[in-house]
Amino acid sequence: MNIIEHLQWRYATKAFDINKKVTPEKLGVIKDAFNLTATSYGLQPIKLIIVNNIELQKSMVPIAMNQQQIAEASHVLVFCIQTEIDQEFILEYFNRVHNIRETPKSILQPFQDFLIDDFEKKPQEQIEIWATKQAYLALGNLLTVCALEGIDACPMEGFLPNACDDLLGLHEKGLKSVLLLPIGYRSNDDVFADFKKVRKPIADSIIEL
């Protein structure tokens, strides 16, 4: 299949086959794809929690509006934002740039100072909204990658983030959950798999100037 055929194939899976598991090799592709996702300034203010524990997944169902895909999926991906985007966080990024690219610190210094000053002025709520937008970029990227790898997925905003954070111990890690993505393989019983996609005509969704 070409990429458009893969995207036509994917859908928000409503029922997973509990007996089919995503292999470590394919999970490795997902990990790499998450880490390669584009983020604002390249700062990567996001982390991915991979849940592969059936009892824990069952415990997550009530906080995910009783969506059974959470328990049925091979794995549940929890997209999180980091709550502390401070001077130390920004300095770590520029140290990576220096070490990997060998860019002189004198060249990096002006942009580094700008970002530190800019983020110090932002209220916490604004920083978390900005970081959440980066999580959505990662979600979109992984949905495409999963489709290309023949992995089914169901993106979810409908869950209780605070309860999820408590259950997974995210507060201690300086993280907040913002999105869920159960992944695996569709069940033969999922009637939604055969539904035609409902999309606007391209002429109604794209404007060419």
Side-chain angles (χ1 to χ4, degrees):
M1 293 193 292
N2 63 36
I3 190 169
I4 298 302
E5 289 172 327
H6 282 286
L7 294 176
Q8 287 281 3
W9 171 85
R10 70 146 298 276
Y11 73 111
T13 307
K14 300 299 185 291
F16 288 95
D17 186 334
I18 61 174
N19 297 310
K20 292 183 179 179
K21 300 298 179 184
V22 176
T23 65
E25 291 76 19
K26 285 188 177 288
L27 199 62
V29 172
I30 289 171
K31 292 176 183 178
D32 285 340
F34 177 84
N35 201 47
L36 288 168
T37 295
T39 59
S40 179
Y41 305 121
L43 287 177
Q44 294 180 277
I46 52 177
K47 284 189 183 289
L48 188 67
I49 305 294
I50 300 176
V51 180
N52 181 25
N53 179 312
I54 187 59
E55 295 306 318
L56 187 53
Q57 288 170 234
K58 288 179 180 178
S59 298
M60 293 175 68
V61 170
I63 64 177
M65 311 305 178
N66 291 314
Q67 297 177 88
Q68 294 303 312
Q69 299 100 308
I70 296 289
E72 297 168 349
S74 171
H75 299 72
V76 178
L77 310 185
V78 184
F79 293 74
C80 304
I81 60 169
Q82 296 191 225
T83 55
E84 288 292 329
I85 310 297
D86 54 12
Q87 178 173 319
E88 181 181 357
F89 181 91
I90 294 171
L91 288 175
E92 285 179 0
Y93 166 71
F94 280 97
N95 284 335
R96 280 196 300 276
V97 176
H98 171 69
N99 292 332
I100 293 171
R101 294 179 175 172
E102 299 182 352
T103 306
K105 291 192 174 183
S106 59
I107 292 177
L108 298 173
Q109 191 77 43
F111 189 35
Q112 172 183 294
D113 292 346
F114 163 76
L115 285 185
I116 290 173
D117 180 64
D118 187 52
F119 275 89
E120 284 179 347
K121 292 176 180 177
K122 294 182 188 294
Q124 182 64 20
E125 180 182 9
Q126 186 177 346
I127 290 174
E128 292 187 8
I129 290 172
W130 166 81
T132 299
K133 291 178 180 179
Q134 315 315 306
Y136 275 89
L137 288 174
L139 173 67
N141 190 30
L142 290 200
L143 284 174
T144 300
V145 169
C146 283
L148 292 172
E149 292 293 322
I151 299 169
D152 286 297
C154 184
M156 295 181 177
E157 294 178 298
F159 73 106
L160 304 174
N162 289 336
C164 184
D165 297 349
D166 290 339
L167 179 65
L168 301 181
L170 300 184
H171 300 290
E172 296 82 356
K173 297 178 175 65
L175 301 174
K176 284 187 176 182
S177 58
V178 294
L179 294 163
L180 302 179
L181 184 67
I183 61 171
Y185 298 96
R186 65 191 66 177
S187 168
N188 291 331
D189 298 327
D190 190 355
V191 297
F192 287 87
D194 296 323
F195 283 10
K196 291 183 178 180
K197 277 203 183 300
V198 179
R199 295 292 189 273
K200 294 179 180 180
I202 288 179
D204 288 346
S205 62
I206 296 172
I207 299 174
E208 298 187 54
L209 302 178

